[in-house]
Amino acid sequence: MSDNYEPNIVAFLCNWCSYAGADLAGTSRMQYPANIQIIRVMCSGRVNPLFVMNALQQGADGVLISGCHIGDCHYMEGNFYARRRLGMLKELMEFIGVDSRRFHMSWVSASEGHKWKEVVEKTVEDAREAGPYEGFRRRRIDW
Amino acid sequence: MEMDQLRKTAAEIVSRDDVKYLIGWKQGTFGYRIAPSFVEDASGAAELLFSPLCTANLATYLRLVETLPVPRGQEADTRKVALMVKGCDSRAVAQLVVEKGISRDQVVVIGCPCPGVVDVALLARKYPETEIPAELKWNGSGFTLVRSGEEIKLAREEVLAEKCRLCRYPNPVISDIMLGEQVIPWEPSADSGVAEVEKKDYAGRWAYWEDQFSKCVRCYSCRNVCPLCYCQDCILDRLNPTWVNRAVNFSENTAFHIARAFHLVGRCIECGECERVCPANIPLGRLNRKLAREVRDKYGFEPGADPEAEPFQASYKPDDPEDFIL
Amino acid sequence: MTEKPKVGVYVCHCGINISATVDVDAVAEFAKKLPNVNVARTYSYMCSDPGQSLIKNDIKELGLNRVVVASCSPRMHEPTFRKAIKEAGINPYFLEMANVREQCSWVHEEKEEATAKAKKLVAASVAKVRVLEPLEAKEVDAEPAALVIGAGIAGIQAALDIADAGFKVYLVEKTPSVGGRMAQLDKTFPTLDCSACILTPKMVDSANHPNIELLSYAEVEEIGGFIGNFDVKVRKKARYVDFEKCTGCGDCASACRVANRFPSEFDQGMGKRSAIYLPFPQAVPAKYTIDPDSCLFLTRGKCGKSPKCEEVCLANAINFEQEDEIVEFRVGAVIVATGFDAFDASRKPEFGYVDYPNVITGMEMERLVSSSGPTGGKVTINNGEEEIIPKEIAFIKCVGSRDKSIGNEYCSRVCCMYTAKQAHLLRDKIPDANIRVYYIDVRAFGKGFEEFYDRVRRENIRYIRGNPSEIFKRGNKLVVKVEDTLTSTPLEDEVDMVVLAVGLEPRADMRKMMDLLRLSQSPDRFFLEAHPKLRPVDTATDGVFLAGCCQGPKDIPDTVAQAKGAASSAMIPLARGKVIIGAQVANVDESTCRGCGFCVSICPYTAIELVAVNRMGHQVEVARVNEALCKGCGSCSPACLSDSIQPKSFRDRQILPQIAALGVMR
């Protein structure tokens, strides 16, 4: 593990709460680590848990999924499904030995720019501690 | 269960106008082998049997049979299929009903209460197979092996399949006809296989599964035998998008096994067929059983226990666990 | 067969908002090497006219068919660029935005890191745009009617504007009368107009307007559907008085066996009403209502030999058999004007509101000084021993506002001025009173406010800077303990009456409205608008608008202005008669669908159903999406084991390349 290792985090954010919250963090000029790249989806319910698997396979060191708080989903119920699906994925990944520090999920509302910053810091810090992910990374990436 | 009763009942069922055929077990052609039998008439029914060697989950065939195009001018055959099920197999039928893989009125379920089947590979290691088919019977406390004319008594624990040691459903959960007496359920033993992995740390678990997944030859037997893996076009075969590359290497194998296990979350009924057929002896049962246990303990859901249930993957509870959420 | 992608990448400087932290030229150079990218350019403001022209010219001259704009959040300018590329002749959904401002340049300081990240984001966008599909937005008819929830001044004004424009309005009010909080006020600051005099005509109009259907004493139970076609279910609560027959004479209220026994909600509990009542004399509609919680007959099943109200009503309007009635209708837009709750002063126990009858709130003061109030406008107060005319009066401002300890960090915006107004009114009524105002700041920001504040101060009303710590009783006086922070003098001020200038809070029952309309709260807990600057009356739910104090504290002119804004926004779909429904809806590959129905159970909009189809001579069921109902959330998709249902523009095969692009450059 090299000292200058910087984790690569892929994040999936719902359009209405967390993506807006991340935008708010930007508008408020909060500073947070640049290790995180966001993929926008309409709802956390859209996040196929296998995206997490795919991200780890394709070179991510950590994955974050963020949606609206329970009860605040723009689509009413999407985050309930996300919570169940990703909770089970987490069980699976931990059982096969993927460090739980590589996978986080959060609820961040459109007004929680500050919470977004904290979530990113926690996610990056955890992935940094867990070290570069080799696991089942694909060797040759063809895209 | 008396074989006469089974064969008589089967003959009656296949003679019905609304039944296409009956799927049951019959003697194989070698050693301990049992073959699936698609019975359409009385002569076929006479070959059926039910013994501790009947490990296969025949529910798979409900969806595995090829659906041929119906020639123009003909009607599709919509008659029912009769199916012999053990307790575990019946859960597959119930789960198929839940997810509309088959409609309940399209299947005649013949329940076979099951005192536990054997691990055939284990049996063959201890008592090598002979060319002439052998017979295995329940004898109350254990099994009696009839091989080349000699009778050998086996202790139950000696050759019992792992899934049967853990079994909580020896009696079919759904059936139209029940053959023989209900079995008194036994106390399932602790899942030592899952516990063995659980007690390791992340690195240890990873090392364990790395060993296992590295062995995988990606024959897809585990998927094909599974009664609940029946998409006509499996996403793991697909090229656009490519979830899993076709290369057989550790990375793709791992992705394959994660995806396979995940697709069975809240659906796996723990019949153990995937592990039984694996030519590389990957303990897939541990993966499935671990997830099934979490679904049961944390979400209070048991797949295949109730054909009227809401599918686990298509429902939620307001108080589902969320202690992992930041 | 779709043509080969030819991608143009446009990196915006956004003045220096992006270029100060991201090396935009390096990003463009990098983008040129990405697969299928034909051109990559930078420009100072991509969203400006010349910026858009740059893109349009490239589309025409280089034959681009896909565009990536690396600039601000897609939540900001996605519609702008969609429109631009559409004008240049390519499908508006062949656009992908890389958010290199809000989620990159503004949140990272280190230029090298920010540039590297911007490159990745652009690479991910290029990876996705290459595999996007052309989509077409569809239109559906919009119902030319609006629902306005809440009939205070905001709701009344919005309803009147929409009705005047010729559209049908359903105005739903929870209480028996329209008018809301404004009806309770005596005078309005800073002009001192009589509140009732300017409001009452509007109240009457709202009930009589041919285009307005007023549903008073009613609550919205359900709202389904979406912009253009909301299906609304309203419960009209039983009044136990026949609405058509009641003449509003009031004989019943005087005859009531429990006449004038119950605290009047309108008079803030300072006056009394009967079990059958009109909330206030100018109430609209002027129809009596029986309060089911206080009526003897309704609570005990017995009222003397027979209910008095029934005996005296010459119109035979009393009907104890009446039941709640459900009204259903369809509207194209919804305006939420549910107002506020006054801060509950008992949550600041140090001010003794619960303990001392001569500590009152600003709302109570409004009723006390009102000539239609419980004392007929005569200001007297019980000091715990006797009813007196107060001579020593203290106002305390910012009660329940600007106070982190009770969770209200915001300024309620009206208390400074209503305090000034009430001090002025008291000065008129009790010329020899000593009046002082304890304040933290005086915020006289509105039109005519500073002038009014100045006038009040010159009326011998003392403003003392200090936030009282405690109020206690000494003899027949109240003692206000406070430090004058301008002179650093601790004071124990003996007074006859204290008026707490309570602030405005979100309504306690707002959760119900949030659930009905999928609204969110801002950090102050009021309803969240779609954009704090540019879309202050819109919400995240299309076709739902906010008016008045439900969105945040406001005075009357601001409330009316916002109501008019909400009305004109709500009228856009009504006037067009059509609404565009999202193109990014779910889509089923019927050839692979297993018909398991997981998506059907999941869809919160019941947009998916199973239909029987013929597959090679066999009857099978497959899922089918009703595109008019689908909102494109995509929750169905991860549950689909065969990946057969996929949201357009967010398909697995469009997201996996993004993931790959982000991973590749670790």
Side-chain angles (χ1 to χ4, degrees):
Chain A
M1 196 186 302
S2 59
D3 287 341
N4 56 7
Y5 155 66
E6 282 296 333
N8 182 26
I9 314 283
V10 176
F12 297 91
L13 269 60
C14 82
N15 182 59
W16 303 99
C17 292
S18 293
Y19 197 90
D23 276 355
L24 177 64
T27 326
S28 322
R29 308 296 197 279
M30 291 171 184
Q31 299 295 310
Y32 58 77
N35 310 53
I36 196 150
Q37 282 79 229
I38 295 168
I39 292 177
R40 182 173 70 114
V41 290
M42 293 315 279
C43 177
S44 54
R46 167 62 190 105
V47 179
N48 191 327
L50 299 183
F51 288 165
V52 177
M53 167 195 94
N54 198 264
L56 292 174
Q57 195 186 10
Q58 307 232 46
D61 301 300
V63 183
L64 170 67
I65 288 146
S66 191
C68 307
H69 287 273
I70 286 296
D72 290 350
C73 177
H74 183 72
Y75 303 104
M76 299 181 286
E77 298 173 347
N79 52 1
F80 282 110
Y81 294 107
R83 181 175 67 176
R84 175 171 275 202
R85 292 168 185 158
L86 291 150
M88 282 314 297
L89 182 87
K90 192 175 166 71
E91 297 288 351
L92 170 57
M93 297 304 252
E94 286 181 12
F95 187 65
I96 64 166
V98 178
D99 195 320
S100 65
R101 289 174 297 183
R102 300 196 186 280
F103 169 66
H104 286 305
M105 187 164 176
S106 61
W107 304 140
V108 174
S109 80
S111 58
E112 291 176 328
H114 201 266
K115 182 171 180 192
W116 170 246
K117 170 185 153 79
E118 286 164 14
V119 164
V120 173
E121 284 167 350
K122 163 93 174 139
T123 307
V124 171
E125 200 38 53
D126 277 5
R128 197 188 303 281
E129 280 174 19
Y133 188 63
E134 289 308 323
F136 63 112
R137 244 187 105 191
R138 213 169 253 170
R139 292 293 145 210
R140 190 179 57 81
I141 295 163
D142 179 18
W143 59 282
Chain B
M1 183 202 305
E2 296 301 322
M3 291 307 121
D4 291 346
Q5 186 203 353
L6 159 64
R7 290 166 187 164
K8 184 164 159 273
T9 311
E12 279 165 19
I13 291 171
V14 291
S15 68
R16 278 164 55 176
D17 289 341
D18 63 341
V19 172
K20 199 173 353 183
Y21 49 71
L22 178 150
I23 310 172
W25 297 276
K26 69 175 180 187
Q27 187 77 60
T29 52
F30 174 85
Y32 304 138
R33 304 298 123 174
I34 292 288
S37 178
F38 284 61
V39 177
E40 295 189 9
D41 53 28
S43 66
E47 291 176 357
L48 291 173
L49 59 80
F50 181 55
S51 83
L53 292 171
C54 295
T55 50
N57 182 349
L58 301 175
T60 302
Y61 294 109
L62 291 175
R63 295 290 315 205
L64 198 61
V65 283
E66 193 178 4
T67 342
L68 293 170
V70 180
R72 196 168 297 149
Q74 290 185 22
E75 292 282 310
D77 186 347
T78 55
R79 287 176 300 163
K80 301 178 189 213
V81 172
L83 179 77
M84 288 176 68
V85 295
K86 306 186 289 296
C88 48
D89 308 341
S90 74
R91 288 178 62 197
V93 180
Q95 180 61 23
L96 278 170
V97 170
V98 163
E99 54 191 65
K100 302 182 172 50
I102 187 148
S103 84
R104 181 66 186 87
D105 56 16
Q106 278 305 103
V107 54
V108 180
V109 180
I110 306 164
C112 305
C114 168
V117 296
V118 296
D119 181 334
V120 178
L122 182 63
L123 178 69
R125 273 202 300 281
K126 294 192 169 175
Y127 305 93
E129 284 177 285
T130 54
E131 199 174 321
I132 302 160
E135 200 186 336
L136 191 69
K137 292 186 280 199
W138 286 286
N139 66 12
S141 64
F143 307 104
T144 305
L145 176 63
V146 186
R147 187 179 58 163
S148 315
E150 102 185 278
E151 281 204 10
I152 310 169
K153 283 215 181 326
L154 311 177
R156 189 167 184 267
E157 286 66 36
E158 197 183 350
V159 286
L160 191 69
E162 184 184 32
K163 66 164 178 175
C164 301
R165 277 195 276 115
L166 307 170
C167 179
R168 289 168 295 117
Y169 293 89
N171 295 304
V173 293
I174 55 170
S175 68
D176 296 301
I177 298 154
M178 193 72 87
L179 292 175
E181 297 291 308
Q182 295 267 315
V183 174
I184 299 162
W186 50 92
E187 184 62 36
S189 57
D191 194 339
S192 54
V194 170
E196 183 196 320
V197 181
E198 278 180 324
K199 69 171 188 261
K200 299 174 194 281
D201 61 5
Y202 287 130
R205 291 180 196 179
W206 185 257
Y208 174 81
W209 289 109
E210 192 169 11
D211 273 354
Q212 301 299 342
F213 295 155
S214 299
K215 296 190 293 192
C216 177
V217 293
R218 297 272 290 289
C219 64
Y220 296 152
S221 296
C222 49
R223 179 193 71 189
N224 295 351
V225 78
C226 177
L228 294 161
C229 277
Y230 55 90
C231 294
Q232 302 146 76
D233 188 6
C234 174
I235 66 156
L236 303 176
D237 287 339
R238 230 175 260 175
L239 291 177
N240 188 13
T242 314
W243 285 103
V244 178
N245 279 349
R246 296 195 167 181
V248 179
N249 58 39
F250 172 63
S251 170
E252 304 304 333
N253 293 356
T254 304
F256 166 77
H257 284 289
I258 291 173
R260 192 200 64 83
F262 192 77
H263 271 195
L264 284 167
V265 164
R267 300 175 62 236
C268 174
I269 46 82
E270 301 170 66
C271 68
E273 287 289 88
C274 45
E275 183 168 336
R276 182 179 69 85
V277 300
C278 180
N281 294 319
I282 301 172
L284 293 167
R286 294 185 179 185
L287 214 47
N288 293 338
R289 291 200 306 270
K290 159 74 180 175
L291 295 177
R293 196 188 68 201
E294 298 303 336
V295 167
R296 192 159 61 235
D297 293 352
K298 294 194 174 154
Y299 296 83
F301 185 86
E302 179 98 288
D306 171 13
E308 310 279 312
E310 278 217 74
F312 179 78
Q313 296 197 4
S315 56
Y316 67 84
K317 285 186 193 158
D319 57 350
D320 276 348
E322 61 169 8
D323 48 351
F324 61 97
I325 292 171
L326 293 177
Chain C
M1 201 53 204
T2 45
E3 52 186 337
K4 191 169 177 269
K6 288 170 101 176
V7 183
V9 177
Y10 298 89
V11 187
C12 182
H13 296 240
C14 195
I16 58 160
N17 277 306
I18 295 169
S19 57
T21 352
V22 171
D23 182 345
V24 287
D25 293 320
V27 174
E29 280 310 308
F30 164 81
K32 282 180 187 162
K33 301 190 196 88
L34 293 168
N36 299 103
V37 172
N38 281 37
V39 61
R41 298 183 199 280
T42 70
Y43 189 70
S44 52
Y45 289 102
M46 254 341 146
C47 58
S48 69
D49 225 26
Q52 293 188 40
S53 303
L54 188 70
I55 301 174
K56 289 184 197 170
N57 285 341
D58 279 356
I59 291 171
K60 286 177 190 145
E61 283 166 22
L62 304 175
L64 300 181
N65 55 19
R66 310 281 156 121
V67 170
V68 169
V69 181
S71 59
C72 49
S73 172
R75 292 172 55 84
M76 182 94 180
H77 273 316
E78 197 175 60
T80 314
F81 292 112
R82 284 238 162 97
K83 193 161 158 274
I85 69 169
K86 188 181 177 192
E87 283 165 8
I90 64 176
N91 189 285
Y93 293 89
F94 280 155
L95 169 80
E96 191 57 27
M97 290 185 71
N99 186 343
V100 297
R101 193 180 74 173
E102 281 86 343
Q103 295 177 8
C104 189
S105 72
W106 278 351
V107 287
H108 310 311
E109 282 163 334
E110 223 278 301
K111 192 156 187 172
E112 203 175 313
E113 278 178 9
T115 305
K117 173 168 170 178
K119 286 180 184 175
K120 283 198 201 182
L121 295 176
V122 167
S125 295
V126 170
K128 184 175 181 186
V129 85
R130 293 163 66 210
V131 291
L132 282 177
E133 63 212 296
L135 302 179
E136 219 170 301
K138 291 181 183 153
E139 283 192 332
V140 293
D141 289 340
E143 188 72 27
L147 164 68
V148 178
I149 307 172
I153 180 60
I156 291 173
Q157 186 61 54
L160 287 174
D161 279 12
I162 297 172
D164 282 346
F167 300 106
K168 172 95 182 166
V169 180
Y170 298 89
L171 178 59
V172 177
E173 167 58 39
K174 195 173 181 172
T175 68
S177 171
V178 303
R181 296 285 181 192
M182 186 176 168
Q184 290 175 280
L185 306 182
D186 180 43
K187 302 278 194 296
T188 60
F189 62 78
T191 50
L192 301 176
D193 292 280
C194 155
S195 188
C197 315
I198 56 177
L199 178 66
T200 320
K202 284 187 184 290
M203 288 165 59
V204 175
D205 284 354
S206 75
N208 295 344
H209 200 294
N211 284 341
I212 298 181
E213 183 167 337
L214 172 62
L215 302 165
S216 58
Y217 205 47
E219 288 185 51
V220 179
E221 292 254 300
E222 273 178 48
I223 301 182
F226 50 93
I227 180 169
N229 294 281
F230 290 104
D231 290 310
V232 186
K233 200 185 260 190
V234 172
R235 175 180 296 272
K236 284 175 76 178
K237 293 175 278 189
R239 284 176 188 264
Y240 306 103
V241 173
D242 188 308
F243 195 86
E244 301 304 323
K245 290 183 185 161
C246 176
T247 59
C249 67
D251 290 350
C252 51
S254 337
C256 179
R257 281 207 169 77
V258 282
N260 298 322
R261 293 261 196 95
F262 305 100
S264 151
E265 292 83 358
F266 181 78
D267 277 336
Q268 294 287 307
M270 299 166 91
K272 304 283 188 202
R273 62 161 171 81
S274 310
I276 183 163
Y277 69 109
L278 198 62
F280 52 101
Q282 305 83 0
V284 172
K287 307 285 180 180
Y288 277 73
T289 304
I290 299 181
D291 174 12
D293 296 325
S294 42
C295 169
L296 288 177
F297 192 77
L298 288 172
T299 51
R300 300 181 196 172
K302 196 166 176 294
C303 177
K305 272 202 186 99
S306 71
K308 280 272 189 195
C309 50
E310 214 165 22
E311 286 174 19
V312 299
C313 183
L314 297 175
N316 281 324
I318 309 295
N319 176 8
F320 284 106
E321 305 295 306
Q322 208 177 63
E323 284 180 359
D324 290 1
E325 187 190 338
I326 301 290
V327 190
E328 292 182 53
F329 50 87
R330 178 174 276 198
V331 296
V334 178
I335 293 176
V336 180
T338 48
F340 63 93
D341 279 345
F343 176 75
D344 173 7
S346 66
R347 281 168 58 201
K348 296 289 284 179
E350 60 269 37
F351 292 152
Y353 174 70
V354 179
D355 307 324
Y356 312 124
N358 41 349
V359 177
I360 65 170
T361 68
M363 273 315 276
E364 286 162 355
M365 190 52 157
E366 290 294 333
R367 298 313 305 147
L368 198 58
V369 293
S370 171
S371 50
S372 70
T375 58
K378 194 161 171 268
V379 179
T380 63
I381 192 89
N382 186 321
N383 65 4
E385 285 154 34
E386 56 181 336
E387 197 74 18
I388 56 161
I389 294 174
K391 296 289 179 180
E392 300 288 336
I393 301 167
F395 284 87
I396 299 175
K397 296 212 296 192
C398 295
V399 177
S401 312
R402 306 175 71 194
D403 185 347
K404 281 188 189 174
S405 70
I406 42 101
N408 293 349
E409 233 179 296
Y410 56 86
C411 165
S412 289
R413 294 173 58 108
V414 293
C415 329
C416 281
M417 294 319 290
Y418 83 59
T419 300
K421 173 196 74 183
Q422 289 176 352
H424 166 83
L425 295 175
L426 284 179
R427 166 61 67 235
D428 262 5
K429 304 227 172 201
I430 315 170
D432 59 340
N434 279 320
I435 304 173
R436 55 282 218 181
V437 178
Y438 291 103
Y439 70 101
I440 309 177
D441 292 298
V442 174
R443 296 184 167 173
F445 52 88
K447 188 170 177 174
F449 287 12
E450 186 64 29
E451 297 90 322
F452 184 72
Y453 166 51
D454 206 43
R455 168 182 168 189
V456 169
R457 267 192 312 179
R458 278 187 278 112
E459 288 169 352
N460 194 20
I461 287 159
R462 282 192 302 143
Y463 273 71
I464 303 166
R465 203 181 82 174
N467 192 7
S469 57
E470 197 186 352
I471 291 171
F472 56 89
K473 204 168 175 187
R474 185 183 288 155
N476 57 5
K477 294 281 187 186
L478 289 173
V479 180
V480 178
K481 207 170 165 184
V482 61
E483 181 191 342
D484 179 338
T485 53
L486 288 181
T487 60
S488 297
T489 320
L491 301 173
E492 287 199 357
D493 188 8
E494 293 198 353
V495 297
D496 297 322
M497 173 164 83
V498 174
V499 184
L500 304 176
V502 290
L504 277 47
E505 281 203 309
R507 283 189 71 100
D509 57 3
M510 74 186 300
R511 184 83 234 175
K512 184 183 168 194
M513 212 44 68
M514 290 170 67
D515 291 343
L516 279 176
L517 288 163
R518 303 184 292 283
L519 300 177
S520 308
Q521 287 170 301
S522 37
D524 59 11
R525 311 192 311 287
F526 288 95
F527 288 132
L528 177 68
E529 61 284 344
H531 190 281
K533 308 279 186 301
L534 302 178
R535 299 179 66 198
V537 303
D538 308 58
T539 66
T541 307
D542 287 343
V544 178
F545 305 92
L546 302 174
C549 289
C550 64
Q551 182 258 345
K554 290 180 187 61
D555 61 5
I556 294 166
D558 282 2
T559 295
V560 171
Q562 200 189 17
K564 285 178 157 291
S568 70
S569 293
M571 281 190 281
I572 295 171
L574 310 191
R576 278 195 75 219
K578 300 263 181 203
V579 287
I580 294 169
I581 55 167
Q584 293 170 319
V585 293
N587 175 255
V588 179
D589 181 345
E590 294 188 0
S591 71
T592 58
C593 173
R594 310 191 306 167
C596 67
F598 284 8
C599 52
V600 178
S601 318
I602 288 171
C603 182
Y605 302 97
T606 57
I608 312 172
E609 58 179 349
L610 289 178
V611 294
V613 296
N614 186 307
R615 187 182 282 165
M616 296 189 307
H618 300 273
Q619 283 278 312
V620 292
E621 286 199 317
V622 295
R624 195 166 284 170
V625 177
N626 178 344
E627 296 193 347
L629 295 178
C630 176
K631 303 296 277 177
C633 69
S635 290
C636 48
S637 166
C640 182
L641 299 174
S642 61
D643 274 11
S644 299
I645 191 163
Q646 296 274 305
K648 293 176 182 174
S649 288
F650 292 92
R651 292 176 187 271
D652 289 347
R653 64 177 153 84
Q654 291 158 341
I655 292 175
L656 293 196
Q658 278 185 293
I659 300 175
L662 294 179
V664 73
M665 292 182 302
R666 190 167 84 169

